[in-house]
Amino acid sequence: KNIQSSVVEDAVLASGKLIRVDSFPSKYIQERPVDVWLPENYSESKKYAVLYMHDGQMLFDSTKTWNHQEWKIDEAATDLMEQKITKDFIVVAIHSIANIRWKDLFPEKAMDYMDPDRKSEVNRRAKENGFDAEYYGDEYLKFIVSELKPYIDATYAVDVSKENTFVAGSSMGGLMSMYAISEYPEIFEGAACISTHWVGKMAEQNNPYPSAIFKYVKANIPDAKNHKIYFDYGDKTLDRHYPQYASLVDNLFMEKGYSANNFRNLFFPEANHSEKSWQNRIHIPLAFLLKK
């Protein structure tokens, strides 16, 4: 299939350039824009690592985002590469679609670990509120792995190996990054799961999601010998729900042989749930995962 892309001429960037496929074709998920950020001196004669990121419209240009905030990925990536802290890499930014974002980014197989009674109650309540209990997390990953990655590998000067393929996101995108490396450990070397939304949905009493998610995690942790995984959390706004899960996350990964060499679960006191918070610390997971 001939996929058309063009440079985003009006993108307000610190450096590099942004190339957009307006509507990336997929047989798995709803079509959406995908952006590729190339660093300043991008050269066809090199081989770049690839960082796949969720909520791609929030990463580069605050003049275009709904809340006028951005991750400043171009700034962070440029600094890290110039200082030779990380390998050279490009960023593939998958846009999210507001009304189905949760369904796209929810780790679908976690539902298999939910207590059957709780699960039918969740589905019943969804129906009562006019929602279908459909999850697209598996399809979203199939899109990345079998449609998007082959296109990126064929179009850009990238190293296609697992050792140079990474995934990152925040909140539901943090859950999805954990899910990506768990479902496709042969594709992704590392995942950055920022302000990971362990509550799964809205925080509520007797929430059935976290225990299902953690049972899934426990059963599917990728091999510690050849993977790296980064988690973090703050304690303000939505992030206030996350500190309670920190020791559980630590224990699950330590039990599976992870150590400070390939695992982080960092606490940022006073950090809230926003792009401003994430831009302040994104260099930390990038340096950890993509270390030269």
Side-chain angles (χ1 to χ4, degrees):
K1 260 186 301 207
N2 189 9
I3 295 172
Q4 298 295 321
S5 67
S6 56
V7 176
V8 184
E9 297 291 357
D10 62 347
V12 182
L13 298 171
S15 73
K17 68 174 173 180
L18 207 57
I19 298 172
R20 176 165 298 160
V21 176
D22 274 325
S23 188
F24 202 101
S26 175
K27 58 175 190 279
Y28 298 111
I29 58 167
Q30 193 173 316
E31 297 187 358
R32 72 219 34 224
V34 172
D35 293 339
V36 178
W37 178 80
L38 302 177
E40 198 61 52
N41 297 314
Y42 172 81
S43 155
E44 287 291 337
S45 64
K46 287 164 80 166
K47 285 279 185 239
Y48 294 80
V50 185
L51 174 65
Y52 289 89
M53 292 191 72
H54 317 295
D55 295 311
Q57 70 270 36
M58 304 304 295
L59 303 180
F60 303 106
D61 182 358
S62 60
T63 66
K64 307 278 195 308
T65 62
W66 66 272
N67 61 1
H68 305 298
Q69 294 184 33
E70 59 167 302
W71 283 64
K72 295 197 169 178
I73 293 292
D74 43 328
E75 284 86 340
T78 301
D79 286 347
L80 289 165
M81 287 187 253
E82 280 178 354
Q83 295 175 55
K84 307 263 188 281
I85 292 169
T86 60
K87 336 180 191 201
D88 288 341
F89 64 98
I90 70 169
V91 179
V92 179
I94 304 157
H95 288 221
S96 53
I97 299 170
N99 64 338
I100 54 166
R101 175 176 178 268
W102 186 82
K103 292 164 172 265
D104 279 343
L105 298 181
F106 184 79
E108 191 172 338
K109 290 192 176 75
M111 293 308 285
D112 301 341
Y113 294 82
M114 194 179 279
D115 171 81
D117 295 342
R118 302 300 303 277
K119 189 173 168 178
S120 44
E121 184 195 338
V122 163
N123 292 343
R124 183 180 56 76
R125 276 170 51 189
K127 282 206 182 66
E128 279 171 9
N129 293 316
F131 297 110
D132 57 26
E134 291 288 318
Y135 303 89
Y136 312 142
D138 290 345
E139 290 67 32
Y140 181 83
L141 282 179
K142 279 183 191 147
F143 159 69
I144 294 177
V145 166
S146 64
E147 294 175 329
L148 181 55
K149 185 178 190 293
Y151 166 79
I152 296 296
D153 292 352
T155 308
Y156 295 98
V158 297
D159 185 321
V160 305
S161 69
K162 167 179 107 39
E163 289 67 33
N164 287 285
T165 307
F166 302 89
V167 59
S170 65
S171 196
M172 288 304 295
L175 273 188
M176 178 44 73
S177 300
M178 172 281 294
Y179 196 53
I181 198 171
S182 303
E183 289 293 296
Y184 291 95
E186 74 289 0
I187 299 282
F188 299 103
E189 172 82 4
C193 313
I194 295 153
S195 290
T196 310
H197 194 58
W198 296 118
V199 288
K201 213 159 185 196
M202 299 299 285
E204 57 180 17
Q205 290 295 304
N206 303 321
N207 179 356
Y209 285 96
S211 74
I213 291 169
F214 284 118
K215 281 178 188 154
Y216 168 83
V217 170
K218 184 176 183 174
N220 293 281
I221 288 175
D223 191 334
K225 282 197 217 42
N226 50 14
H227 294 92
K228 283 180 162 178
I229 191 152
Y230 170 99
F231 297 100
D232 71 20
Y233 55 101
D235 57 5
K236 294 280 178 278
T237 64
L238 201 52
D239 273 58
R240 73 186 187 279
H241 300 296
Y242 307 152
Q244 60 182 310
Y245 301 114
S247 60
L248 174 56
V249 174
D250 289 343
N251 293 338
L252 286 175
F253 282 83
M254 295 301 153
E255 277 166 16
K256 288 283 182 9
Y258 279 81
S259 71
N261 299 329
N262 56 3
F263 172 79
R264 294 278 192 282
N265 185 20
L266 303 183
F267 175 43
F268 293 90
E270 301 297 305
N272 68 20
H273 197 82
S274 69
E275 285 75 19
K276 285 229 166 74
S277 291
W278 303 326
Q279 69 173 226
N280 287 336
R281 61 182 198 255
I282 184 60
H283 59 285
I284 298 170
L286 294 183
F288 175 62
L289 294 183
L290 288 133
K291 200 163 98 219
K292 234 188 156 67

